[in-house]
Amino acid sequence: AYTTALDRHLQQFPDSPTAADAAFMLAQLEEQRLQFSKALPLYWRLPADHPRADEATAGAARCHVQLLLRLKSLEQEWRPFHAEAVAG
């Protein structure tokens, strides 16, 4: 229910002042669920001037590392993913 409420808020009110907070909360939840590919773009949604921007940057970095480790463990090409994240 919590995930659904946050998703709904982001869909219905994407330009609301509370959208970034909802994205951050959902990103944390997805990261805790080990859903790093879902959490990463949610962390990136926070604007640089948001009070939790530094926490979101750290969360995005953690997710990025976990996704790289997963790609490497599956012996899949990881360099394009890494290059895109570093450039972005």
Side-chain angles (χ1 to χ4, degrees), residues 43-63:
Y43 279 130
W44 284 340
R45 286 183 67 162
L46 269 73
D49 62 348
H50 189 276
R52 300 189 100 169
D54 290 344
E55 290 176 75
T57 300
R62 286 190 305 271
C63 291

Side-chain angles (χ1 to χ4, degrees), residues 12-46:
Q12 291 179 348
F13 310 104
D15 299 323
S16 166
T18 58
D21 293 320
F24 182 77
M25 290 185 277
L26 188 54
Q28 287 185 309
L29 181 62
E30 294 297 0
E31 183 182 0
Q32 290 171 359
R33 292 178 174 164
L34 306 180
Q35 299 298 312
F36 305 114
S37 60
K38 290 182 180 179
L40 187 57
L42 290 164
Y43 279 130
W44 284 340
R45 286 183 67 162
L46 269 73

